[in-house]
Amino acid sequence: MKSFLLLVFLLMEGSEAPSKLKGCLNGWIEFICGYNNTNITKYHTIDVVTPRESLRSTQRDEWENKGRWFLYHDTTNQHLRVIIKPQQQEDFGKQQCQFHTDSVSTPEITELELDTEDDNCQHTTFNHTTYTTAQTTILCTDKGNRVRFFCKDNGFICEDILSTTVKSNGSFSLTDNNSGFNISISDVSSQDAGVYWCGVKPNQGNYRAALQRIQLEVQNISVIKRSSAVGQTLTYWCSYPEDAPVNKFICKGEDPYVCEQLVNILKPNMKTGKLSIEDDREERNITVTVRNLIAEDTGTYWCGAGTSDEKRRNQLFNKLLLTVAGSQLAAVTATVVRVAALVVVNILILFYTCSKIRRNRREKQKSWDRGYAEVQDPPRRPSQELQ
Ligand SMILES: *[C@@H]1O[C@H](CO)[C@@H](O)[C@H](O)[C@H]1NC(C)=O
Ligand SMILES: *[C@@H]1O[C@H](CO)[C@@H](O)[C@H](O)[C@H]1NC(C)=O
Ligand SMILES: *[C@@H]1O[C@H](CO)[C@@H](O)[C@H](O)[C@H]1NC(C)=O
Ligand SMILES: *[C@@H]1O[C@H](CO)[C@@H](O)[C@H](O)[C@H]1NC(C)=O
Ligand SMILES: *[C@@H]1O[C@H](CO)[C@@H](O)[C@H](O)[C@H]1NC(C)=O
Ligand SMILES: *[C@@H]1O[C@H](CO)[C@@H](O)[C@H](O)[C@H]1NC(C)=O
Ligand SMILES: *[C@@H]1O[C@H](CO)[C@@H](O)[C@H](O)[C@H]1NC(C)=O
Ligand SMILES: *[C@@H]1O[C@H](CO)[C@@H](O)[C@H](O)[C@H]1NC(C)=O
């Protein structure tokens, strides 16, 4: 909440009232109407007059909810913050803030013109489904080169999470370029479910507009953890609901919607060899077999079913966290075996050489004893040579 207020103040700081605003039907636009008279006690009421209705702000320094409107008379900064959620084309057009000193004299008026964004209002609301512990990416469309923001609707105002200037908070991160921006959420939890908005702060004018409303649904998924050793075969199973599509698959990756399919029951020609699945439709049970495990098989796998309907996303039934252990151990073992073998061979060679030397020496000694009796320096023994 605090960061929200802070950002807004930064955006609005020292502002003149903007004259032109742009937003989307079913989105929202936040703007301010400033007033010039420093004696705030003069303003008894503020009216916001819009094409379809007139609203009155009577409270100070607190939010007032007037249906589709939110008003906040900020006496410190001497302005009225206004949030409008246009629901009909008629909501666009001329907007006026009228600051009344009393009931008779003419009010001080700030006037604004509200227009629709041309290019960016196509997908104003969509649902996004994901699963607990998954990674997921929300795609926000916005053509242009301006400040983007992403916030979570708390049912009243939208609490800021990310913007072009704050691209990550640890679990949420934002990437953007001229064609749009993506919000990536890692390790999704059920608390992340809710309504989010993708929005922009245009370069012209001190206001901001939320363009897309995203209803994030988070489904629980069971997670299986398995450790296996290199070379082994792993078998596990996932059961699925009655209405699941027939197109069962296994894919690998953190994000279940962009993960790489490794095996698909409707595509028997898919090059796998390593993975196989069997669908027991009576029991609604898929049995998965992963053969001849290698270290690179470590990772996240999803068991799911796809639909031919483009609009419906794949359904997922469980997640496997596979660790192919023993890979390092195997490497260490192999090294140890190699070193041990080398040592044994060396010892054998040494033994052979020693015994040969000893034999030779003994024979030489015998001949010296016989032929050269005056030998002074007797040959060293092989054992000394070895030391
Ligand atoms: C405040 O003053 C500025 C310039 O002095 C003027 O443009 C603006 O319209 C005034 N605002 C109101 C609400 O009278
Ligand atoms: C502000 O306006 C009120 C009522 O009009 C008046 O009583 C008060 O003296 C004014 N204060 C200042 C600082 O001008
Ligand atoms: C989003 O889901 C809600 C129910 O959770 C549904 O009422 C609504 O029609 C869905 N919207 C879209 C655009 O699919
Ligand atoms: C990032 O923001 C979201 C939404 O406000 C919040 O749930 C999450 O805990 C934040 N992540 C971190 C690491 O603070
Ligand atoms: C957003 O994600 C989509 C799909 O993964 C990708 O095609 C697009 O390039 C991404 N855009 C940005 C700005 O990262
Ligand atoms: C936006 O970035 C994505 C990848 O991050 C890239 O595929 C896409 O072409 C980029 N679009 C533009 C207009 O630069
Ligand atoms: C998912 O699990 C959490 C706790 O593990 C629980 O609070 C929540 O109600 C579950 N949601 C659904 C839709 O089953
Ligand atoms: C699924 O099949 C496996 C064997 O293939 C079995 O062990 C498991 O109990 C079955 N699960 C269910 C829910 O039927």
Side-chain angles (χ1 to χ4, degrees), residues 152 160-161 169-172 192 196:
K152 187 171 188 181
D160 269 300
I161 303 171
N169 82 340
S171 43
F172 286 57
D192 294 328
Y196 294 84

Side-chain angles (χ1 to χ4, degrees), residues 61-74:
D61 301 311
E62 64 175 272
W63 281 103
E64 294 173 83
N65 181 2
K66 311 271 178 187
R68 298 177 295 118
W69 295 79
F70 293 90
L71 306 175
Y72 188 103
H73 180 189
D74 181 340

